[in-house]
Amino acid sequence: MPLFTDLSDAELALIAENVSRAYFENGALIFAEGDVCRELFVVEEGTVKVFKSASNGRQQLLGIERKGSSLAEVAAFDGGRYPVSAEATSSTTLLRLSADSFRKTCLKNPEMALKVFKVLAHRLRHLVGLVEELSFSTVRVRLIAYLLRLAEENGQRTPQGIHFQLNENNEELAVRLGTVRELISRNLGRLHGDRLIEMNKRTVNIPNLDILRDEIGRSL
């Protein structure tokens, strides 16, 4: 777990004395934006969706946290409220450490405090990039960029192109890309109609990555 890698066995033992486990089923709310933060969480198993909600019910996905990732460092560090909400997206086991114990450990271990700052800096860079995407690019561009990333990370090359599974439905894609389901459906249909992608249910094939990348420049 990145936050604790430089601690001695004795220091880890002290932390472990105050740690408990919590279990959440798929879809369970772990904490809600605005709640008072009393605990720091670390994902032991499973996946957690971190998101912001608007008054009209729309959500903006900020990230998916997996094994080893920590949650709520900001609120636990400053004793404030959760700035985001977190929801289990699979059967999930979390380690819980009280915010008070976490702050005391950081005061006694400057190296751990520096690790917290590094985690927060990484999240800040991610959020700046997200703001840039939402502010300066269209839904089509954001969708193409996401499909290209999936192809590069998970795609399998075949004579027909690179194919991969699109594991999110259109509603989930809309949350991730900061839009609505109808626009995701429309843009997937147009990309398919323009032969930039081929879709069979939730399997996507990209015949030519370079042509699809060039489409980003033409769509800006």
Side-chain angles (χ1 to χ4, degrees):
M1 297 178 183
L3 283 181
F4 306 133
T5 51
D6 288 338
L7 299 186
S8 68
D9 289 344
E11 290 165 337
L12 287 172
L14 287 174
I15 291 176
E17 289 178 0
N18 298 305
V19 167
S20 61
R21 282 188 174 90
Y23 303 94
F24 298 87
E25 294 300 319
N26 183 19
L29 186 67
I30 297 167
F31 55 79
E33 180 180 348
D35 289 350
V36 175
C37 175
R38 295 187 172 88
E39 295 172 309
L40 172 80
F41 295 94
V42 178
V43 181
E44 185 176 28
E45 295 292 342
T47 53
V48 175
K49 176 176 74 172
V50 179
F51 62 95
K52 294 277 289 185
S53 296
S55 57
N56 62 4
R58 279 184 57 184
Q59 295 180 354
Q60 174 61 56
L61 180 69
L62 301 180
I64 299 291
E65 303 297 341
R66 296 178 171 81
K67 184 175 182 178
S69 297
S70 50
L71 305 170
E73 307 92 349
V74 172
F77 203 69
D78 69 7
R81 297 177 182 271
Y82 294 115
V84 296
S85 299
E87 177 185 302
T89 52
S90 64
S91 295
T92 298
T93 304
L94 300 180
L95 301 180
R96 303 188 301 185
L97 176 66
S98 76
D100 186 57
S101 295
F102 174 65
R103 288 192 294 272
K104 288 179 180 177
T105 302
C106 286
L107 288 172
K108 294 177 181 177
N109 298 274
E111 287 297 321
M112 182 172 171
L114 284 174
K115 284 184 171 290
V116 174
F117 296 152
K118 288 180 181 178
V119 170
L120 298 182
H122 173 76
R123 296 197 191 286
L124 178 60
R125 289 179 185 276
H126 169 72
L127 291 175
V128 169
L130 182 61
V131 169
E132 184 178 9
E133 282 186 10
L134 294 176
S135 301
F136 302 117
S137 62
T138 64
V139 173
R140 181 181 175 91
V141 167
R142 299 201 295 272
L143 179 59
I144 290 173
Y146 184 58
L147 293 176
L148 287 170
R149 186 160 69 246
L150 289 179
E152 291 165 356
E153 293 175 355
N154 307 316
Q156 295 183 338
R157 190 173 294 277
T158 71
Q160 290 74 41
I162 295 180
H163 73 267
F164 56 90
Q165 289 298 120
L166 190 57
N167 294 320
E168 297 161 303
N169 60 36
N170 288 359
E171 186 69 39
E172 292 166 333
L173 281 174
V175 171
R176 176 180 291 279
L177 300 177
T179 185
V180 294
R181 180 178 57 80
E182 292 77 11
L183 286 178
I184 293 295
S185 300
R186 187 182 307 162
N187 279 280
L188 282 173
R190 286 176 176 171
L191 291 174
H192 180 81
D194 293 339
R195 299 185 179 180
L196 294 170
I197 67 171
E198 298 165 352
M199 289 196 67
N200 181 12
K201 295 182 179 179
R202 302 309 285 179
T203 299
V204 178
N205 183 67
I206 300 178
N208 190 307
L209 287 181
D210 290 334
I211 291 176
L212 189 58
R213 286 193 190 97
D214 290 343
E215 187 64 21
I216 291 178
R218 285 192 289 269
S219 299
L220 287 174

